[in-house]
Amino acid sequence: MIRLLSAGMLTAIACLALLSGCKKGASASSSNAAAQQAAEKTASGIEMVSLPGGTFTMGTNEGNPDEGPAHKVTVSPFWIDKYEVTHDQFAKLQLPDPSHWQENAKTPVERVRWRDAKTYCNERSRAEGLTPCYNEKTTEWDCDYSANGYRLPTEAEWEYAARAGSDSLYTGGSPEALRQYAWFVTNSDQKTHPVGQKKPNAWGIYDMDGNVSEWCEDVYSATYYNESPAVDPKGPPNPEKDVKRAMRGGNWSAPAEACRVTFRQGQRTGNTDACFATDFCGFRCVRRAPAQQVAQALK
Amino acid sequence: MVAVALSASARAATQPTAEQKLKATPFKIAWEAYANGNSDIWIMNADGSGKVNLTQTPNINEHYPQISPDGTKIAFNVDAGEGRSAVRSLWIMDIDGTHRKKIADEAREPFWRPDGKVLGYLPQEYEKFAVIDYYTKGMMFYHLDTGKTEPHVNSANLRHLYHPRFSPNGKWIVSTVHGGMGFSHAILLIQADGDKIINLKIPGCRPSISPDGKHIAWGSGDHEIDTAPIDTDSDNPSVGPWQMRIQDEKNKVYHIAWSPDGKFVSFSRGPDGEGDLQKKGTFQAACEIIGVYATDWNIFAVPADHPRVVNLETCGPADVEQLTKTGDSNKEPAWFIPAKQGKE
């Protein structure tokens, strides 16, 4: 079970959000870990969910070898997009949209390569006057986690947000319940769907389990859980050869087993030509919580 | 069996090398290369001799040369600036590098109509720069005699095209599309003066039609280039089974181009990579993309009449000739008939 870092956090988050220029959303808030968290609209009108930091059990001993061992991880407070990044958001930032299905502006972008996703993060940061997290002059676009701009989630942040306070490996508690929360091979009609049509998880975040799989910041390593730090793990060092980055969450073509919140995969970052990109790779952004929120959480 | 082997071996020994065949052709090849801190357009003889840097512009990056059918003019792209504020513009100049003239900003991938009177190009999708090749919207035609530009009649419905080429009869424009016009990814024939679009249903990208209009060559994978029959005089062309396949398991092969007599194809070849940001004025993406530095990439040529597979890792000098050796991002070869001969 997730342990929140501080009670009454959401009141503080709401105040801090106002101080930092965000518009308060309409979602209900509660100090209960299983209740929806505060939703905010960013300066560019994108809804994010503000998550308190907490300690949770990451991974499982009952899945694939790379999903274990289950281990305790603490993550700092952060904000995460309520929905996967969509075509209209890409277009607003004048970015080339590589997606297969573009008929509906509210379906998630896919066939997005890791660096495309990072480009979006930096452009969105600039559009909102924030400091970009990624250094575009380095080969791997090194991430400055202290910057206040947008970035991809770490695997720990992603799983923390996907679990939403639950111990279950599946949102909704079972593979059978997954239909209510996710577009996956059983119900997707072999394509993506507009975001936010299924039920959100307990923290009010949509499509974490399906529609498109989501890029994370971490280098992927099947054995990382044996050695990862207990606080804010950011993935193993870059091996600089045959690098794969972590991708989390199910997608329109995935079976239910691949939609469990602990399921992991590593994907090449995509230096092959556009014509060979895969059409299930999408993403959503996170942002570090304002410093005051972090300080409050640590009290 | 031994006799057959000896006979084949003897044939190979007496067969002219690709270099010898290329030396006998009157054609030249333009291409782009990055040397001494920037990208320039070069020309060379078909056998790789006589290399000349045509542009020699230390602070300007020229790319993607396309030669007019009469061999007198070169259309090309120029990249200036960095990041998303960079500008890619379209220029033409005389074949000797003089009389540079800008045609349009935010314009990409020029292609000549066979009569040489019109230069097609693809406008950039949005104002902000992105290096990715399919970042285009619409199609424009620049008329050299009047200096006026007009859109393709179906321009409003064309999006995310890249690497367009006219068919020699001027009837079609063959192009790749990625994530646009309702296509996931496809190689299309676009009617040059109408709204007909045909999906050729072949995998890959960067197609080019042979000078007689009867064959198509294209990159069928990162490591393969195929040729196959096609009849571009038809109202509904389709592509037949592949006839020649250029293969390299280790390196990428891209940017196929036919010689003016259709007897050779040239291409770029080199290892996978995502560019080198230490190279000023370049960008980061797949290394075959325009504006991305391709480490250890060179230009090669093979006779186009090879019966089946040309395995670049094992084939001999009769089958392939390496035309550049510097490895300095040598890409985008384009054959042409030298102007003097073209006028004859």
PDB file of all heavy atoms in Angstrom, chain A residues 219-243:
ATOM      1  N   VAL A 219      17.153   4.246 -18.738  1.00  0.00           N
ATOM      2  CA  VAL A 219      17.744   3.153 -19.525  1.00  0.00           C
ATOM      3  C   VAL A 219      17.103   1.859 -19.026  1.00  0.00           C
ATOM      4  O   VAL A 219      16.900   1.675 -17.818  1.00  0.00           O
ATOM      5  CB  VAL A 219      19.275   3.102 -19.310  1.00  0.00           C
ATOM      6  CG1 VAL A 219      19.861   1.805 -19.851  1.00  0.00           C
ATOM      7  CG2 VAL A 219      19.932   4.312 -19.941  1.00  0.00           C
ATOM      8  N   TYR A 220      16.751   0.984 -19.965  1.00  0.00           N
ATOM      9  CA  TYR A 220      16.130  -0.284 -19.553  1.00  0.00           C
ATOM     10  C   TYR A 220      17.201  -1.313 -19.219  1.00  0.00           C
ATOM     11  O   TYR A 220      18.145  -1.520 -19.977  1.00  0.00           O
ATOM     12  CB  TYR A 220      15.247  -0.835 -20.674  1.00  0.00           C
ATOM     13  CG  TYR A 220      14.755  -2.240 -20.402  1.00  0.00           C
ATOM     14  CD1 TYR A 220      13.686  -2.458 -19.549  1.00  0.00           C
ATOM     15  CD2 TYR A 220      15.389  -3.336 -20.978  1.00  0.00           C
ATOM     16  CE1 TYR A 220      13.244  -3.742 -19.282  1.00  0.00           C
ATOM     17  CE2 TYR A 220      14.954  -4.623 -20.717  1.00  0.00           C
ATOM     18  CZ  TYR A 220      13.883  -4.823 -19.868  1.00  0.00           C
ATOM     19  OH  TYR A 220      13.456  -6.097 -19.595  1.00  0.00           O
ATOM     20  N   SER A 221      17.022  -1.947 -18.072  1.00  0.00           N
ATOM     21  CA  SER A 221      17.858  -3.091 -17.711  1.00  0.00           C
ATOM     22  C   SER A 221      16.964  -4.114 -17.039  1.00  0.00           C
ATOM     23  O   SER A 221      16.222  -3.776 -16.100  1.00  0.00           O
ATOM     24  CB  SER A 221      18.981  -2.666 -16.759  1.00  0.00           C
ATOM     25  OG  SER A 221      19.496  -3.810 -16.093  1.00  0.00           O
ATOM     26  N   ALA A 222      17.041  -5.348 -17.488  1.00  0.00           N
ATOM     27  CA  ALA A 222      16.178  -6.399 -16.943  1.00  0.00           C
ATOM     28  C   ALA A 222      16.513  -6.710 -15.494  1.00  0.00           C
ATOM     29  O   ALA A 222      15.694  -7.256 -14.762  1.00  0.00           O
ATOM     30  CB  ALA A 222      16.293  -7.657 -17.793  1.00  0.00           C
ATOM     31  N   THR A 223      17.704  -6.357 -15.057  1.00  0.00           N
ATOM     32  CA  THR A 223      18.126  -6.705 -13.693  1.00  0.00           C
ATOM     33  C   THR A 223      18.200  -5.495 -12.769  1.00  0.00           C
ATOM     34  O   THR A 223      18.706  -5.591 -11.656  1.00  0.00           O
ATOM     35  CB  THR A 223      19.520  -7.374 -13.736  1.00  0.00           C
ATOM     36  OG1 THR A 223      20.450  -6.471 -14.367  1.00  0.00           O
ATOM     37  CG2 THR A 223      19.473  -8.673 -14.533  1.00  0.00           C
ATOM     38  N   TYR A 224      17.687  -4.392 -13.218  1.00  0.00           N
ATOM     39  CA  TYR A 224      17.862  -3.141 -12.460  1.00  0.00           C
ATOM     40  C   TYR A 224      17.259  -3.202 -11.055  1.00  0.00           C
ATOM     41  O   TYR A 224      17.792  -2.601 -10.126  1.00  0.00           O
ATOM     42  CB  TYR A 224      17.242  -1.989 -13.241  1.00  0.00           C
ATOM     43  CG  TYR A 224      17.396  -0.640 -12.580  1.00  0.00           C
ATOM     44  CD1 TYR A 224      18.663  -0.144 -12.231  1.00  0.00           C
ATOM     45  CD2 TYR A 224      16.291   0.155 -12.286  1.00  0.00           C
ATOM     46  CE1 TYR A 224      18.817   1.099 -11.622  1.00  0.00           C
ATOM     47  CE2 TYR A 224      16.431   1.394 -11.686  1.00  0.00           C
ATOM     48  CZ  TYR A 224      17.690   1.864 -11.356  1.00  0.00           C
ATOM     49  OH  TYR A 224      17.836   3.090 -10.751  1.00  0.00           O
ATOM     50  N   TYR A 225      16.178  -3.939 -10.890  1.00  0.00           N
ATOM     51  CA  TYR A 225      15.509  -3.944  -9.583  1.00  0.00           C
ATOM     52  C   TYR A 225      16.363  -4.598  -8.494  1.00  0.00           C
ATOM     53  O   TYR A 225      16.083  -4.458  -7.319  1.00  0.00           O
ATOM     54  CB  TYR A 225      14.158  -4.655  -9.676  1.00  0.00           C
ATOM     55  CG  TYR A 225      13.085  -3.879 -10.418  1.00  0.00           C
ATOM     56  CD1 TYR A 225      13.342  -2.638 -10.989  1.00  0.00           C
ATOM     57  CD2 TYR A 225      11.799  -4.395 -10.537  1.00  0.00           C
ATOM     58  CE1 TYR A 225      12.360  -1.947 -11.678  1.00  0.00           C
ATOM     59  CE2 TYR A 225      10.803  -3.706 -11.215  1.00  0.00           C
ATOM     60  CZ  TYR A 225      11.098  -2.483 -11.792  1.00  0.00           C
ATOM     61  OH  TYR A 225      10.109  -1.802 -12.468  1.00  0.00           O
ATOM     62  N   ASN A 226      17.388  -5.324  -8.896  1.00  0.00           N
ATOM     63  CA  ASN A 226      18.293  -5.911  -7.898  1.00  0.00           C
ATOM     64  C   ASN A 226      19.203  -4.866  -7.275  1.00  0.00           C
ATOM     65  O   ASN A 226      19.798  -5.101  -6.229  1.00  0.00           O
ATOM     66  CB  ASN A 226      19.170  -6.990  -8.554  1.00  0.00           C
ATOM     67  CG  ASN A 226      18.358  -8.186  -8.986  1.00  0.00           C
ATOM     68  OD1 ASN A 226      17.547  -8.693  -8.218  1.00  0.00           O
ATOM     69  ND2 ASN A 226      18.558  -8.626 -10.225  1.00  0.00           N
ATOM     70  N   GLU A 227      19.338  -3.755  -7.927  1.00  0.00           N
ATOM     71  CA  GLU A 227      20.351  -2.794  -7.482  1.00  0.00           C
ATOM     72  C   GLU A 227      19.847  -1.358  -7.399  1.00  0.00           C
ATOM     73  O   GLU A 227      20.583  -0.447  -7.043  1.00  0.00           O
ATOM     74  CB  GLU A 227      21.528  -2.829  -8.477  1.00  0.00           C
ATOM     75  CG  GLU A 227      21.111  -2.403  -9.869  1.00  0.00           C
ATOM     76  CD  GLU A 227      22.082  -2.820 -10.965  1.00  0.00           C
ATOM     77  OE1 GLU A 227      22.502  -3.995 -10.957  1.00  0.00           O
ATOM     78  OE2 GLU A 227      22.392  -1.988 -11.808  1.00  0.00           O
ATOM     79  N   SER A 228      18.585  -1.128  -7.728  1.00  0.00           N
ATOM     80  CA  SER A 228      18.114   0.256  -7.821  1.00  0.00           C
ATOM     81  C   SER A 228      18.050   0.897  -6.441  1.00  0.00           C
ATOM     82  O   SER A 228      17.755   0.223  -5.453  1.00  0.00           O
ATOM     83  CB  SER A 228      16.745   0.306  -8.490  1.00  0.00           C
ATOM     84  OG  SER A 228      15.791  -0.374  -7.715  1.00  0.00           O
ATOM     85  N   PRO A 229      18.326   2.203  -6.365  1.00  0.00           N
ATOM     86  CA  PRO A 229      18.251   2.889  -5.075  1.00  0.00           C
ATOM     87  C   PRO A 229      16.816   2.955  -4.565  1.00  0.00           C
ATOM     88  O   PRO A 229      15.866   2.823  -5.350  1.00  0.00           O
ATOM     89  CB  PRO A 229      18.793   4.286  -5.385  1.00  0.00           C
ATOM     90  CG  PRO A 229      18.640   4.459  -6.844  1.00  0.00           C
ATOM     91  CD  PRO A 229      18.730   3.100  -7.453  1.00  0.00           C
ATOM     92  N   ALA A 230      16.672   3.165  -3.285  1.00  0.00           N
ATOM     93  CA  ALA A 230      15.337   3.136  -2.674  1.00  0.00           C
ATOM     94  C   ALA A 230      14.598   4.453  -2.855  1.00  0.00           C
ATOM     95  O   ALA A 230      13.380   4.495  -2.697  1.00  0.00           O
ATOM     96  CB  ALA A 230      15.465   2.800  -1.191  1.00  0.00           C
ATOM     97  N   VAL A 231      15.327   5.525  -3.142  1.00  0.00           N
ATOM     98  CA  VAL A 231      14.675   6.828  -3.268  1.00  0.00           C
ATOM     99  C   VAL A 231      14.891   7.379  -4.672  1.00  0.00           C
ATOM    100  O   VAL A 231      16.032   7.463  -5.155  1.00  0.00           O
ATOM    101  CB  VAL A 231      15.239   7.820  -2.218  1.00  0.00           C
ATOM    102  CG1 VAL A 231      14.591   9.199  -2.384  1.00  0.00           C
ATOM    103  CG2 VAL A 231      15.010   7.299  -0.815  1.00  0.00           C
ATOM    104  N   ASP A 232      13.820   7.720  -5.344  1.00  0.00           N
ATOM    105  CA  ASP A 232      13.846   8.319  -6.680  1.00  0.00           C
ATOM    106  C   ASP A 232      14.827   7.631  -7.637  1.00  0.00           C
ATOM    107  O   ASP A 232      15.726   8.268  -8.213  1.00  0.00           O
ATOM    108  CB  ASP A 232      14.186   9.811  -6.589  1.00  0.00           C
ATOM    109  CG  ASP A 232      13.038  10.623  -6.007  1.00  0.00           C
ATOM    110  OD1 ASP A 232      11.876  10.219  -6.186  1.00  0.00           O
ATOM    111  OD2 ASP A 232      13.311  11.656  -5.377  1.00  0.00           O
ATOM    112  N   PRO A 233      14.669   6.340  -7.868  1.00  0.00           N
ATOM    113  CA  PRO A 233      15.561   5.665  -8.832  1.00  0.00           C
ATOM    114  C   PRO A 233      15.370   6.242 -10.237  1.00  0.00           C
ATOM    115  O   PRO A 233      14.254   6.565 -10.634  1.00  0.00           O
ATOM    116  CB  PRO A 233      15.109   4.198  -8.765  1.00  0.00           C
ATOM    117  CG  PRO A 233      13.719   4.240  -8.228  1.00  0.00           C
ATOM    118  CD  PRO A 233      13.648   5.428  -7.314  1.00  0.00           C
ATOM    119  N   LYS A 234      16.466   6.368 -10.949  1.00  0.00           N
ATOM    120  CA  LYS A 234      16.421   6.978 -12.291  1.00  0.00           C
ATOM    121  C   LYS A 234      16.994   6.051 -13.360  1.00  0.00           C
ATOM    122  O   LYS A 234      17.348   6.502 -14.447  1.00  0.00           O
ATOM    123  CB  LYS A 234      17.193   8.302 -12.279  1.00  0.00           C
ATOM    124  CG  LYS A 234      16.568   9.362 -11.370  1.00  0.00           C
ATOM    125  CD  LYS A 234      17.353  10.657 -11.396  1.00  0.00           C
ATOM    126  CE  LYS A 234      16.653  11.754 -10.609  1.00  0.00           C
ATOM    127  NZ  LYS A 234      16.552  11.447  -9.150  1.00  0.00           N
ATOM    128  N   GLY A 235      17.084   4.785 -13.061  1.00  0.00           N
ATOM    129  CA  GLY A 235      17.569   3.833 -14.061  1.00  0.00           C
ATOM    130  C   GLY A 235      19.064   3.648 -13.986  1.00  0.00           C
ATOM    131  O   GLY A 235      19.782   4.458 -13.397  1.00  0.00           O
ATOM    132  N   PRO A 236      19.560   2.578 -14.588  1.00  0.00           N
ATOM    133  CA  PRO A 236      20.993   2.273 -14.558  1.00  0.00           C
ATOM    134  C   PRO A 236      21.785   3.239 -15.439  1.00  0.00           C
ATOM    135  O   PRO A 236      21.202   3.953 -16.256  1.00  0.00           O
ATOM    136  CB  PRO A 236      21.053   0.847 -15.106  1.00  0.00           C
ATOM    137  CG  PRO A 236      19.846   0.725 -15.972  1.00  0.00           C
ATOM    138  CD  PRO A 236      18.789   1.585 -15.352  1.00  0.00           C
ATOM    139  N   PRO A 237      23.110   3.239 -15.293  1.00  0.00           N
ATOM    140  CA  PRO A 237      23.925   4.091 -16.172  1.00  0.00           C
ATOM    141  C   PRO A 237      23.759   3.687 -17.628  1.00  0.00           C
ATOM    142  O   PRO A 237      23.423   2.538 -17.934  1.00  0.00           O
ATOM    143  CB  PRO A 237      25.364   3.821 -15.700  1.00  0.00           C
ATOM    144  CG  PRO A 237      25.240   3.132 -14.391  1.00  0.00           C
ATOM    145  CD  PRO A 237      23.910   2.457 -14.358  1.00  0.00           C
ATOM    146  N   ASN A 238      24.030   4.622 -18.506  1.00  0.00           N
ATOM    147  CA  ASN A 238      23.896   4.371 -19.940  1.00  0.00           C
ATOM    148  C   ASN A 238      25.047   3.478 -20.420  1.00  0.00           C
ATOM    149  O   ASN A 238      26.209   3.869 -20.322  1.00  0.00           O
ATOM    150  CB  ASN A 238      23.934   5.712 -20.675  1.00  0.00           C
ATOM    151  CG  ASN A 238      23.621   5.566 -22.142  1.00  0.00           C
ATOM    152  OD1 ASN A 238      23.684   4.467 -22.692  1.00  0.00           O
ATOM    153  ND2 ASN A 238      23.281   6.659 -22.774  1.00  0.00           N
ATOM    154  N   PRO A 239      24.754   2.288 -20.957  1.00  0.00           N
ATOM    155  CA  PRO A 239      25.834   1.409 -21.426  1.00  0.00           C
ATOM    156  C   PRO A 239      26.463   1.903 -22.729  1.00  0.00           C
ATOM    157  O   PRO A 239      27.484   1.395 -23.159  1.00  0.00           O
ATOM    158  CB  PRO A 239      25.113   0.077 -21.652  1.00  0.00           C
ATOM    159  CG  PRO A 239      23.710   0.454 -21.956  1.00  0.00           C
ATOM    160  CD  PRO A 239      23.431   1.706 -21.169  1.00  0.00           C
ATOM    161  N   GLU A 240      25.815   2.879 -23.385  1.00  0.00           N
ATOM    162  CA  GLU A 240      26.313   3.538 -24.595  1.00  0.00           C
ATOM    163  C   GLU A 240      26.410   2.623 -25.808  1.00  0.00           C
ATOM    164  O   GLU A 240      26.955   3.007 -26.824  1.00  0.00           O
ATOM    165  CB  GLU A 240      27.658   4.226 -24.322  1.00  0.00           C
ATOM    166  CG  GLU A 240      27.490   5.372 -23.328  1.00  0.00           C
ATOM    167  CD  GLU A 240      28.770   6.126 -23.076  1.00  0.00           C
ATOM    168  OE1 GLU A 240      29.811   5.699 -23.596  1.00  0.00           O
ATOM    169  OE2 GLU A 240      28.705   7.135 -22.367  1.00  0.00           O
ATOM    170  N   LYS A 241      25.923   1.423 -25.692  1.00  0.00           N
ATOM    171  CA  LYS A 241      25.869   0.542 -26.855  1.00  0.00           C
ATOM    172  C   LYS A 241      24.584  -0.271 -26.762  1.00  0.00           C
ATOM    173  O   LYS A 241      24.269  -0.801 -25.696  1.00  0.00           O
ATOM    174  CB  LYS A 241      27.094  -0.381 -26.893  1.00  0.00           C
ATOM    175  CG  LYS A 241      27.284  -1.054 -28.235  1.00  0.00           C
ATOM    176  CD  LYS A 241      28.553  -1.878 -28.269  1.00  0.00           C
ATOM    177  CE  LYS A 241      28.669  -2.559 -29.624  1.00  0.00           C
ATOM    178  NZ  LYS A 241      29.732  -3.538 -29.663  1.00  0.00           N
ATOM    179  N   ASP A 242      23.879  -0.353 -27.884  1.00  0.00           N
ATOM    180  CA  ASP A 242      22.608  -1.068 -27.910  1.00  0.00           C
ATOM    181  C   ASP A 242      21.679  -0.615 -26.784  1.00  0.00           C
ATOM    182  O   ASP A 242      21.063  -1.431 -26.090  1.00  0.00           O
ATOM    183  CB  ASP A 242      22.835  -2.585 -27.818  1.00  0.00           C
ATOM    184  CG  ASP A 242      23.629  -3.099 -29.002  1.00  0.00           C
ATOM    185  OD1 ASP A 242      23.457  -2.548 -30.109  1.00  0.00           O
ATOM    186  OD2 ASP A 242      24.436  -4.028 -28.814  1.00  0.00           O
ATOM    187  N   VAL A 243      21.616   0.682 -26.594  1.00  0.00           N
ATOM    188  CA  VAL A 243      20.815   1.235 -25.498  1.00  0.00           C
ATOM    189  C   VAL A 243      19.329   1.046 -25.779  1.00  0.00           C
ATOM    190  O   VAL A 243      18.849   1.324 -26.875  1.00  0.00           O
ATOM    191  CB  VAL A 243      21.105   2.740 -25.321  1.00  0.00           C
ATOM    192  CG1 VAL A 243      20.284   3.304 -24.160  1.00  0.00           C
ATOM    193  CG2 VAL A 243      22.582   2.970 -25.093  1.00  0.00           C
TER     194      VAL A 243
END
